[in-house]
Amino acid sequence: MAAGRSMEWVKGVKGVILDMCGVLYDSGEGGGQPIPGSVEAIERLMGSGLIVRFCTNETQNTREKFVQKLQRMGFNISVSHVFSPAPALLRILRERGLQPHLLVHDDLMAEFDGVEMTSPNCVVIGDAADRFSYQNLNEAFGVLIGLEKPILFSLGQGRYYKETDGLKLDVGGFMKALEYACDVQAEVVGKPSAEFFQSVLRDMDLQPHEVVMVGDDLVNDVGGAQRCGMRGVQVRTGKYRPSDEQHPSVKADAHMDDLAAAVDAILISDL
Amino acid sequence: MATRRRLKAVLIDLSGTLHIEDAAVPGAQEALARLRQAPVTVKFVTNTTKECKRTLFERLRQLNFDLQEQEIFTSLTAARNLLEQRAVRPLLLVEDSALEDFTGLETSDPNAVVIGLAPNHFNYQTLNKAFQLILDGAPLIAIHKARYYKRKDGLALGPGPFVTGLEYATDTRATVVGKPKKAFFLEALRDLNCSPDEAVMIGDDARDDVGGAQNTGMLGILVKTGKYRHGDEDKIKPPPHLTCDTFPDAVNHILEHLVESK
């Protein structure tokens, strides 16, 4: 559906931040599938003169491996343009002198090479998928409940994401489980944390009102971006559900069928 | 006592009130026998997610308590009754040892999710199955929401965290059926044809037993055995109708003050 009447959101746009899973591709068997039209949409964006960055809470792999996967799918993107939670977390751990107990995906472990972990004084939880067993969660719980000052970091707080064979639990539910068990509040690293978005804006050297965020997660992509002063557009791909358009508190600046449609709208206004 | 209606039923907690692990509270069997001579109905109520009624019954019989299996009402029973009332087919995330209390219920093609303490089922694959069912509209029923429990090797996660996680992921609220929920106490009284103001609860857990019962309109008697800790009686509002040393003392009070003499 063309957002002909309410094209306010494209005026004065100088930069675009894109979510990845659910916007560029859907994850699943064999690493996933590009969403139709997305590869070509990225090409057009990259050649447009707009400043483009990618923001993902994807933590099932290192940033490098993740970008390689997307390049194999045909996406023209480079690691330096991709922002993900793990590098942000590493900075925080260093700044605060923290040693993590990790409950993360096997393939993310490489991001923590060289990090001291012999005496954990905090717990880090990521999208661990099959590693979310009772035993592993109990182990993380045991570390937290034994700390005088329990510190829990969650890489994102998404409720679920879309894989090719259906919706799957994301890290958020497991974060809430540990919060409830230990009566603590997790510190979220990644979307929708303001610090995370601001670090991307600094890299782009743009003001929030000059940037539009395109994502499939209404609360974490769109809501998070809007709270920082950016515009937020939800695409009807990935984990989008029709009920999102009646959300009680988050109202997207626009709904677009997919990334290709969103890019059409952005580039038309550019002419 | 004047404003209350005649006492018709006495609900009694099990672990910590009638027995501590494998030892009966001294004098409890005899006190129960005396209570049964009064014109009141007795029911035994407990939160459990792992033990079926038969196991609890056998333990109490071995300790020489005089009771029938059908006098026992557990959080598992409460869950079962709710499933029957709603005519739904459950995905049971419940330990094998507790499945017996759900026999007879149709479980193929589930359209409801029941969560108890089930470490073997709390893996990503099964939790995803539960998640997808709830997202499709299946009600989420929690036996109870304990944060953790004590194991030999330390503290371990209870069902509460997993229920909370699923509530968040699906943006829904679970129906919790165990103590201290009103629904649990009301359900326990339902087949006794008895309203809350005609009943009294005896237990060792100030919040879950006494607080929950009083919140439903029953009288509550707190016993200082089991998990009782000094000062527990001050932690609930209103305070317990009575705080006394043991179950036999509670029975004495009931027989002397709450039961109408004929």
Side-chain angles (χ1 to χ4, degrees), chain B:
Chain B
M1 315 291 151
T3 52
R4 288 190 63 83
R5 292 164 64 184
R6 185 174 72 84
L7 187 71
K8 270 182 168 176
V10 180
L11 300 189
I12 307 169
D13 174 47
L14 294 180
S15 171
T17 302
L18 284 185
H19 68 97
I20 317 286
E21 312 245 354
D22 292 322
V25 164
Q29 300 94 327
E30 185 269 339
L32 178 61
R34 281 191 296 126
L35 185 61
R36 285 193 186 283
Q37 287 172 2
V40 291
T41 322
V42 162
K43 221 177 201 191
F44 303 92
V45 295
T46 181
N47 266 0
T48 177
T49 63
K50 286 172 63 154
E51 296 177 308
C52 63
K53 270 203 274 199
R54 190 172 45 84
T55 305
L56 297 169
F57 169 68
E58 280 164 8
R59 178 186 296 131
L60 289 162
R61 289 293 302 138
Q62 277 203 309
L63 295 176
N64 290 318
F65 284 101
D66 168 31
L67 82 166
Q68 312 273 359
E69 195 177 314
Q70 62 257 35
E71 289 177 314
I72 301 175
F73 179 78
T74 75
S75 41
L76 288 172
T77 324
R80 193 221 165 87
N81 290 0
L82 186 63
L83 293 169
E84 281 174 340
Q85 274 162 38
R86 295 207 194 166
V88 286
R89 300 177 301 276
L91 172 72
L92 293 165
L93 298 193
V94 153
E95 280 293 322
D96 288 345
S97 53
L99 280 177
E100 193 180 297
D101 281 351
F102 293 93
T103 19
L105 290 177
E106 183 59 61
T107 55
S108 61
D109 188 28
N111 58 2
V113 175
V114 174
I115 302 218
L117 177 60
N120 289 333
H121 292 303
F122 292 155
N123 54 68
Y124 191 61
Q125 219 177 336
T126 312
L127 288 170
N128 258 331
K129 193 162 172 222
F131 160 70
Q132 284 160 4
L133 283 171
I134 300 165
L135 219 53
D136 279 341
L140 171 57
I141 296 166
I143 307 286
H144 62 79
K145 276 189 80 170
R147 294 188 139 102
Y148 48 78
Y149 68 107
K150 192 140 184 275
R151 274 199 316 212
K152 278 182 267 219
D153 59 343
L155 295 177
L157 290 169
F162 297 92
V163 173
T164 306
L166 282 170
E167 287 180 317
Y168 172 79
T170 57
D171 200 18
T172 61
R173 297 302 299 275
T175 303
V176 182
V177 299
K179 292 184 283 183
K181 288 287 174 169
K182 252 191 217 181
F184 177 84
F185 294 100
L186 291 174
E187 188 61 23
L189 294 176
R190 193 161 60 93
D191 65 344
L192 301 184
N193 218 353
C194 168
S195 64
D197 64 355
E198 297 170 313
V200 62
M201 166 83 193
I202 307 171
D204 64 321
D205 188 320
R207 199 182 60 108
D208 283 5
D209 294 332
V210 180
Q214 296 193 153
N215 197 37
T216 316
M218 299 166 58
L219 288 179
I221 298 177
L222 180 62
V223 287
K224 293 182 181 177
T225 48
K227 69 168 71 135
Y228 171 84
R229 288 288 171 273
H230 178 69
D232 276 354
E233 58 270 36
D234 302 320
K235 292 187 180 149
I236 59 168
K237 274 190 171 40
H241 165 76
L242 175 73
T243 303
C244 59
D245 284 342
T246 64
F247 174 69
D249 298 304
V251 169
N252 290 343
H253 174 87
I254 290 171
L255 293 175
E256 277 167 54
H257 298 288
L258 298 181
V259 172
E260 268 182 13
S261 39
K262 289 271 155 105

Side-chain angles (χ1 to χ4, degrees), chain A residues 236-258:
Chain A
R236 297 186 176 109
T237 49
K239 72 174 76 153
Y240 163 87
R241 299 176 93 214
S243 53
D244 288 344
E245 300 197 38
Q246 271 84 45
H247 195 274
S249 50
V250 181
K251 294 269 170 288
D253 287 286
H255 283 99
M256 291 279 125
D257 282 345
D258 53 26

Side-chain angles (χ1 to χ4, degrees), chain A residues 30-68:
Chain A
Q33 304 263 20
I35 289 171
S38 288
V39 171
E40 191 263 344
I42 295 295
E43 282 294 341
R44 287 190 291 136
L45 257 187
M46 294 307 219
S48 68
L50 293 168
I51 298 177
V52 181
R53 295 290 182 270
F54 300 86
C55 229
T56 178
N57 274 358
E58 163 69 49
T59 54
Q60 283 199 15
N61 226 319
T62 63
R63 210 166 37 130
E64 283 72 15
K65 285 257 153 46
F66 177 59
V67 168
Q68 278 167 22

Side-chain angles (χ1 to χ4, degrees), chain A residues 140-148 150 181-183, chain B residues 148 155:
Chain A
F141 162 70
V143 171
L144 273 175
I145 203 93
L147 293 172
E148 204 182 299
C182 305
D183 199 19
Chain B
Y148 48 78
L155 295 177

Side-chain angles (χ1 to χ4, degrees), chain A residues 66-93:
Chain A
F66 177 59
V67 168
Q68 278 167 22
K69 179 175 82 169
L70 283 160
Q71 286 165 346
R72 277 196 299 272
M73 282 189 211
F75 289 102
N76 175 20
I77 62 180
S78 64
V79 175
S80 61
H81 290 164
V82 174
F83 289 75
S84 73
L89 174 75
L90 289 174
R91 275 195 296 280
I92 293 172
L93 293 177

